[in-house]
């Protein structure tokens, strides 16, 4: 019998000289490796999915008549073929993870159609059902159980060096829907999709973050599908300790990160904005972003209203229905509407009235929450005034702004009374989502005989009235945060100052085209969001430079047109 040669019989066999055939084949292998390596490595590189692979390599992997342009139309037809908004949301969410370029191409080309699906109002339903429609991980989850170990959780993020912007929620007040616990992740995801679509932020530099600090939503605690901790919300002290660690570790793990706080319940919204805003680049979208977007729309509306009434701009009277983080945030920002007209800050404060769940907010009413004190009236001391009609009669507002979450609170009588005292009443029902809006556009048009200057938080369709088409404005912070965030990132701002927020608002207000002004719009058309965000980003960068909070000396040397060109160049575009 032939015995195969043994190379392993002695401990030194690994060093023994192999027989000739083996030597020959090894030599052949080495030569071929040297010759072919450049081709193989090129081939491997060419197979990388970073840029679309050449058509040749796709041969056989796609059907013969496949064409990207037609495929985009196909995807849009698939989207439109779905009946329910939530099905559309799920379809788009899947598309975003399968093919981000196609997803963002569709967003950019169909902003007015897609924004209400990935954002308000549908994102509200998606958040309510988030634990039921959940498919795959997206974003970063940090829970109270991670306290003391947050650093390691953050370091698990796969693209740590690229991270530039995060939207952080604790889910305690999602839109006007209350405490949705970790289901709030949907709002962080939705806002960041708008950062990408609206301002060209690189998709891979965004991190949606949801903090799991328990929930007081009993139905969720009992729901077997609920994705969060089964415990009530932690105490204020425990949350403070958690937040201090979280914010510190965020800046350690992601030193170039801008942080947007989103949909924290009112007490926490004010608390954590105040606690961190001078230490980290952070802003609160509900307080500051909403303030900026409403200031902008109000500036445009007040001009039209004053043109009809002859009333000077500084004589407007603003009544807020709702005095939470959004109401008080907007009221604070609106003071600059009056100071820009020459009033002192104190005079500006006196142009503003608040209503909360107990009626008109005034000093002698009794104990007031801290955030309401600044705007509490000292010129009324009678019995509590609780009826909105009585309050309108007393204040005689030119503008009525709703941030209350009370659906239908602006009844036909309220709207008619506003129209009776103003040739062009300003009515902004800003609560989200649509079903919580204080009134619909149709109600506002009909009950003011078409004179209303209208903006809502969620979108309403345009209306025909007496042979004219009337357009509703969308007074939503989505017009502000993409440009504000982009400006802050590009200037490497160390803080988001009040002046940067105000600059974003003025930038938005003066971004309307002549055609938009002629159509009576209060906000630019959403299809122009990229252009608007670029314009806002330039104003924000300039404000950051003036406030001396930037780390980008090269931008300071540019004139405005160079800076604008740079901002546009920096915007990511889907390649499809
Ligand atoms: N359009 C936009 O861009 C934005 C809209 N919002 C919306 O604003 C709404 C309020 O948000 P937050 O201020 O954070 O909520 P919040 O719950 O802190 O404030 C609600 C306010 O409405 C008052 N209110 C409740 N019931 C009332 C009643 N029956 N009569 C009079 N006042 C009543 C409350 O006292 C409270 O002052 C939400 O629907 C949210 O979606 C928030 C941020 C941005
Ligand atoms: C739009 C938004 O931020 C909100 O409704 O909370
Ligand atoms: Mg919000």
């Amino acid at each position: 019998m032939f015995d195969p040669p043994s190379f392993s019989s002695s401990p030194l066999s690994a060093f023994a000289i192999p027989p000739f055939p083996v030597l020959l084949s090894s030599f052949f292998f080495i030569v071929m490796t040297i010759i072919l390596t450049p081709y193989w490595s090129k081939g491997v590189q060419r197979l990388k999915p970073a840029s679309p692979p050449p058509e040749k390599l796709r041969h056989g992997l796609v059907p013969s008549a496949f064409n990207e342009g037609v495929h985009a139309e196909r995807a849009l037809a698939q989207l439109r073929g779905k009946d329910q908004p939530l099905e559309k949301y799920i379809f788009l969410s899947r598309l975003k993870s399968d093919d981000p370029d196609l997803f963002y191409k569709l967003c950019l080309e169909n902003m007015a159609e897609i924004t209400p699906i990935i954002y308000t109002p549908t994102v509200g339903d998606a958040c309510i059902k988030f634990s039921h429609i959940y498919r795959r991980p997206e974003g970063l989850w940090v829970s109270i159980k991670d306290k003391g170990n947050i650093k390691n959780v953050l370091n698990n993020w796969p693209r740590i060096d690229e991270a530039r912007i995060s939207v952080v929620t604790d889910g305690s007040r999602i839109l006007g829907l209350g405490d949705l616990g970790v289901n709030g992740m949907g709002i962080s995801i939705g806002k960041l999709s708008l950062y990408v679509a609206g301002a060209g932020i690189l998709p891979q530099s965004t991190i949606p973050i949801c903090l799991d600090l328990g929930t007081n939503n009993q139905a969720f605690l009992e729901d077997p599908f609920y994705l969060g901790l089964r415990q009530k919300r932690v105490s204020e002290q425990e949350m403070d300790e958690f937040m201090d660690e979280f914010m510190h570790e965020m800046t350690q793990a992601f030193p170039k990160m801008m942080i947007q706080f989103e949909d924290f319940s009112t007490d926490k919204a004010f608390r954590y904005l105040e606690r961190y805003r001078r230490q980290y680049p952070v802003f609160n979208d509900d307080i500051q972003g909403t303030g900026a977007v409403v200031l902008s729309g109000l500036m445009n509306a007040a001009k039209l209203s004053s043109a009809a009434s002859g009333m000077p701009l500084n004589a407007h009277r603003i009544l807020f229905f709702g005095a939470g983080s959004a109401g008080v945030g907007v009221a604070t920002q609106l003071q600059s509407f009056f100071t820009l007209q020459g009033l002192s800050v104190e005079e500006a404060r006196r142009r503003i009235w608040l209503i909360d769940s107990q009626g008109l907010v005034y000093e002698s009413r009794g104990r007031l929450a801290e955030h309401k004190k600044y705007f509490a009236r000292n010129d009324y001391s009678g019995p509590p005034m609780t009826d909105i009609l009585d309050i309108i009669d007393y204040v005689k507002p030119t503008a009525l702004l709703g941030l209350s979450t009370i659906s239908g609170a602006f009844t036909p009588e309220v709207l008619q009374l506003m129209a009776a005292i103003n040739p062009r009443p300003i009515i902004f029902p800003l609560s989200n989502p649509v079903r919580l809006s204080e009134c619909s556009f149709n109600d506002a048009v009909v009950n003011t005989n078409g004179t209303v200057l209208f903006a809502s938080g969620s979108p309403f369709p345009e209306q025909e009235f007496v042979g004219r088409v009337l357009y509703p404005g969308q007074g939503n912070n989505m017009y502000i945060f993409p440009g504000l965030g982009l400006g802050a990132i590009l200037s490497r701002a160390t803080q988001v100052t009040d002046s940067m927020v105000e600059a974003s608002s003025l930038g938005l207000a003066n971004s309307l085209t002549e055609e938009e002004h002629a159509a009576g719009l209060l906000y630019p058309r959403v299809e122009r969001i990229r252009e608007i965000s670029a314009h806002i980003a330039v104003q924000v960068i300039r404000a950051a430079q003036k406030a001396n909070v930037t780390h980008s000396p090269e931008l300071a040397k540019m004139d405005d047109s160079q800076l604008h060109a740079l901002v546009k160049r920096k915007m990511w575009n889907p390649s499809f």
Side-chain angles (χ1 to χ4, degrees), residues 549-565:
V549 294
T550 67
H551 270 229
S552 53
E554 67 291 354
L555 301 190
K557 294 183 200 131
M558 296 180 176
D559 64 26
D560 280 356
S561 70
Q562 288 169 324
L563 186 57
H564 190 255

Side-chain angles (χ1 to χ4, degrees), residues 173 175 266 286 290 321 323-326 356-357 405 430 432 475-477:
R173 188 289 273 147
L175 303 175
T266 289
D286 300 293
T290 316
F321 187 73
S325 60
D356 66 8
S357 55
T405 75
L430 296 164
N432 294 316
N476 192 296
N477 45 35

Side-chain angles (χ1 to χ4, degrees), residues 38-51 57:
Y39 295 95
W40 282 337
S41 57
K42 215 171 179 181
V44 169
Q45 274 166 19
R46 286 165 79 195
L47 283 168
K48 275 189 192 165
S51 52
L57 283 172

Side-chain angles (χ1 to χ4, degrees), residues 212 365 404 484 524:
D212 188 353
R365 192 179 83 178
S404 66
L484 177 58

Side-chain angles (χ1 to χ4, degrees), residues 301-313 316 422-425 451 453:
K303 282 182 202 146
L304 295 170
S305 170
S306 284
S309 66
M311 172 187 279
L313 285 173
H316 277 268
N422 296 289
R424 297 215 63 190
T451 59
L453 292 159

Side-chain angles (χ1 to χ4, degrees), residues 20-186:
F20 182 71
V22 176
L23 270 181
L24 190 67
S25 59
S26 303
F27 176 73
F28 181 73
F29 177 78
I30 290 164
V31 169
M32 289 310 284
T33 305
I34 291 167
I35 295 170
L36 291 176
T37 293
Y39 295 95
W40 282 337
S41 57
K42 215 171 179 181
V44 169
Q45 274 166 19
R46 286 165 79 195
L47 283 168
K48 275 189 192 165
S51 52
E55 214 50 48
K56 256 195 295 182
L57 283 172
R58 286 189 160 186
H59 192 78
L61 300 184
V62 288
S64 47
F66 181 82
N67 164 302
E68 285 195 332
V70 176
H71 187 53
E73 286 171 29
R74 178 181 298 111
L76 196 57
Q78 288 169 355
L79 173 70
R80 288 177 179 163
K82 311 230 168 278
D83 292 333
Q84 298 302 319
L86 196 57
E87 286 176 25
K88 294 183 188 223
Y89 176 92
I90 293 168
F91 171 83
L92 286 172
S93 156
R94 181 73 204 235
L95 183 65
K96 187 168 84 167
S97 86
D98 286 351
D99 192 343
D101 286 293
L102 177 53
F103 169 79
Y104 283 113
K105 175 186 162 69
L106 292 188
C107 288
L108 275 170
E109 291 175 0
N110 305 277
M111 273 314 274
E113 179 177 350
I114 289 185
T115 306
I117 306 169
I118 60 173
Y119 188 52
T120 183
T122 307
V123 75
D125 293 330
C127 285
I128 290 173
K129 304 218 169 82
F130 191 85
S131 291
H132 284 244
I133 61 173
Y134 178 81
R135 301 283 203 274
R136 73 193 78 77
E138 185 174 358
L140 196 53
W141 309 82
V142 190
S143 97
I144 190 70
K145 305 270 187 238
D146 298 318
K147 196 160 153 248
N149 188 36
I150 293 178
K151 174 183 178 165
N152 293 329
V153 180
L154 301 185
N155 282 324
N156 282 339
W157 185 251
R159 296 174 297 269
I160 206 152
D161 295 336
E162 293 168 285
R164 294 291 179 280
I165 187 136
S166 72
V167 173
V168 179
T169 187
D170 73 339
S172 53
R173 188 289 273 147
I174 296 298
L175 303 175
L177 302 168
D179 182 350
L180 298 188
V182 298
N183 283 14
M185 177 58 105

